[in-house]
């Protein structure tokens, strides 16, 4: 059993905006909020963990019907995000709850279709177990962004760029085999809708100068060739910004506000 399990269960129950008994049978907490909670516990920030802006749930049957019923009881907003994959969203004042249908015969089969191991955790809310079929906990502990399977990257090419964006946000490094697989599939990103690519680039810029190294690596991998052909990995701007950041870190004791200003979104 994961040592983090009791704390994760306590967090979920605190953040859940309705009674736990309303949950459908065979339901699981998944997604970024679970990963971030685990990371907060790992980094010794359990006491300071803030409530997430969204919770992601997975269930074995009829997520749309269940979510619609809960939304009515809560008088919350409700929208079907993807009718084919049966994904729905409940919108409350300070929280959104997304619920989707389990893909595959087991929750483990669903997790094995996800993008990166750090995102392939699930908290079984009935059996109180943390499911980790891909080794995500070990990768989170090591600060490593690792693909679940190369075919999962090809299934949705925006994941190629998302690897660098999430690595920048989490302070992770890309696993070498994952980076190689991304480079091999870089031309696939040209098939993705422009707004999805833009969202990932803007999120990368939002990490400030520290995230520029990941943007530079994404450019070096050829991911943005179709979208920003004039942007090169050896562009002076990358090196200049990183030099400024190095000096800001070096002098942060004397000039702490400088580092804070430079950490703002670009």
């Amino acid at each position: 059993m994961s040592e983090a399990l009791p704390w994760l269960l306590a967090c979920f129950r605190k953040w859940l905006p309705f009674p736990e008994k309303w949950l459908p049978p065979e339901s699981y907490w998944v997604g970024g909020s679970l990963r971030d909670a685990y990371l907060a516990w790992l980094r010794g920030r359990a006491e300071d963990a803030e409530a997430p802006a969204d919770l992601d749930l997975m269930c074995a049957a009829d997520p749309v019907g269940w979510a619609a019923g809960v939304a009515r009881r809560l008088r919350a907003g409700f929208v079907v995000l993807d009718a084919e994959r049966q994904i729905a969203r409940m919108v409350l004042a300070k929280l959104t709850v997304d619920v989707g249908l389990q893909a595959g015969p087991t929750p483990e089969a669903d997790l094995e279709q996800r993008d990166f191991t750090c995102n392939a955790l699930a908290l079984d809310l009935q059996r109180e177990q943390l499911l980790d079929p891909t080794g995500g906990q070990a990768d989170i502990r090591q600060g490593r962004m690792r693909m679940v399977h190369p075919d999962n990257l090809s299934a949705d090419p925006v994941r190629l760029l998302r690897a660098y964006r999430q690595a920048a946000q989490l302070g992770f490094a890309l696993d070498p085999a994952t980076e190689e697989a991304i480079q091999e599939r870089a031309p696939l990103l040209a098939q993705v809708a422009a707004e999805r690519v833009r969202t990932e680039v803007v999120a990368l810029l939002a990490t400030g100068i520290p995230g520029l190294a990941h943007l530079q690596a994404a450019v070096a991998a050829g991911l943005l060739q179709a979208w920003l052909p004039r942007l090169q990995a050896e562009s002076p701007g990358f090196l200049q910004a990183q030099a400024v950041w190095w000096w800001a870190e070096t002098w942060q004791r004397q000039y702490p506000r400088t580092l804070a200003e430079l950490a703002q979104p670009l």
Side-chain angles (χ1 to χ4, degrees):
M1 183 180 75
S2 170
E3 295 178 4
L5 181 60
W7 184 78
L8 291 172
L9 284 165
C11 282
F12 179 79
R13 288 163 178 158
K14 178 173 64 175
W15 295 336
L16 191 67
F18 50 81
E20 190 175 2
K21 63 183 180 181
W22 290 9
L23 288 170
E26 303 295 328
S27 54
Y28 307 85
W29 179 20
V30 296
S33 58
L34 174 57
R35 175 203 64 215
D36 292 347
Y38 184 89
L39 192 57
W41 172 83
L42 191 65
R43 291 176 174 173
R45 300 203 305 264
E47 297 301 322
D48 301 326
E50 297 181 357
D54 58 80
L55 283 175
D56 292 310
L57 302 177
M58 174 177 73
C59 63
D62 193 22
V64 175
W66 171 79
V70 172
R72 282 194 298 270
R73 296 174 77 173
L74 295 176
R75 297 184 179 180
F78 172 79
V79 61
V80 177
L81 298 178
D82 188 325
E84 183 177 353
R85 294 192 297 158
Q86 297 190 53
I87 302 174
R89 171 172 293 173
M90 293 177 278
V91 183
L92 295 97
K94 297 182 179 180
L95 179 74
T96 63
V97 179
D98 288 355
V99 56
L101 182 66
Q102 173 183 298
T106 65
E108 289 83 359
D110 179 291
L111 297 175
E112 287 167 359
Q113 297 179 45
R114 301 203 172 218
D115 49 8
F116 306 105
T117 60
C118 63
N119 300 326
L121 301 175
L123 187 60
D124 185 330
L125 299 168
Q126 277 70 44
R127 299 171 186 83
E128 298 188 350
Q129 298 175 349
L130 187 60
L131 307 181
D132 180 15
T134 68
Q137 292 177 84
D139 286 325
I140 293 173
R141 285 194 295 271
Q142 295 180 35
R144 181 170 56 201
M145 184 67 61
R146 183 169 64 88
M147 62 185 172
V148 172
H149 192 280
D151 290 345
N152 297 6
L153 301 179
S154 303
D156 184 2
V158 80
R159 292 172 169 176
L160 304 172
L161 188 53
R162 186 179 299 152
Y164 294 93
R165 187 261 293 174
Q166 290 194 347
Q169 292 175 327
L170 299 171
F172 284 10
L174 261 73
D175 164 67
T178 299
E179 200 155 23
E180 182 178 349
I182 288 172
Q183 292 174 356
E184 292 172 354
R185 291 161 177 77
L188 296 177
L189 196 66
Q191 305 170 10
V192 175
E195 56 269 23
R196 297 187 71 201
V197 175
R198 180 183 185 278
T199 295
E200 296 295 334
V201 172
V202 168
L204 255 172
L205 293 175
T207 63
I209 291 179
L212 280 185
H214 289 286
L215 179 59
Q216 185 180 23
V219 172
L223 290 180
L224 296 176
Q225 184 60 38
W227 301 101
L228 299 169
R230 295 175 60 187
L231 183 62
Q232 302 296 321
E234 62 274 12
S235 296
F238 283 122
L239 301 179
Q240 291 165 359
Q242 289 161 19
V244 168
W245 183 257
W246 183 85
W247 280 107
E249 286 190 313
T250 302
W251 290 90
Q252 65 176 311
R253 291 183 64 183
Q254 289 88 343
Y255 305 104
R257 287 182 58 189
T258 301
L259 197 68
E261 286 296 326
L262 291 173
Q264 299 300 309
L266 297 173

